[in-house]
Amino acid sequence: RSMLKMLLDPMGGVVITNDGNCILREVDVSHPTAKSMMELSRAQDEEVGDGTTSVIILAGEMLAVAEPYLRDNNMHPTVIVQAYYRAL
């Protein structure tokens, strides 16, 4: 079952899609993390052609799991990245 989304583009036109990458292309963001997520989606679309929504959800969960270590434990981000590499 397709769950289509209706978006307004900057020119006032309507875009109807269920493609996660298409949705992210229409969003204007300034936050560096959000820009990285959009680049991740674009790279996934170019390399594989599918799975853009899945890769965004996975990356978002990885960031959510890492946040308490950054915030509460003052752990350096490179330590967290090394742990993710080791987990692979």
Side-chain angles (χ1 to χ4, degrees):
R1 170 176 125 161
S2 178
M3 300 294 286
L4 296 174
K5 285 83 176 169
M6 185 181 344
L7 307 167
L8 285 175
D9 67 13
M11 303 302 283
V14 175
V15 177
I16 298 176
T17 184
N18 68 345
D19 177 30
N21 189 45
C22 180
I23 293 169
L24 290 175
R25 277 194 313 260
E26 295 296 328
V27 177
D28 184 31
V29 296
S30 58
H31 195 280
T33 304
K35 286 182 179 182
S36 293
M37 296 287 277
M38 292 177 72
E39 177 62 25
L40 181 66
S41 174
R42 187 196 61 73
Q44 175 72 12
D45 190 50
E46 285 180 5
E47 290 293 320
V48 181
D50 194 19
T52 56
T53 303
S54 298
V55 79
I56 292 297
I57 290 170
L58 178 61
E61 283 300 310
M62 290 174 75
L63 288 171
V65 168
E67 182 187 15
Y69 294 102
L70 294 167
R71 185 174 21 93
D72 301 334
N73 299 340
N74 293 328
M75 191 175 290
H76 197 276
T78 58
V79 174
I80 296 170
V81 170
Q82 289 172 349
Y84 279 135
Y85 275 122
R86 198 174 298 162
L88 291 174

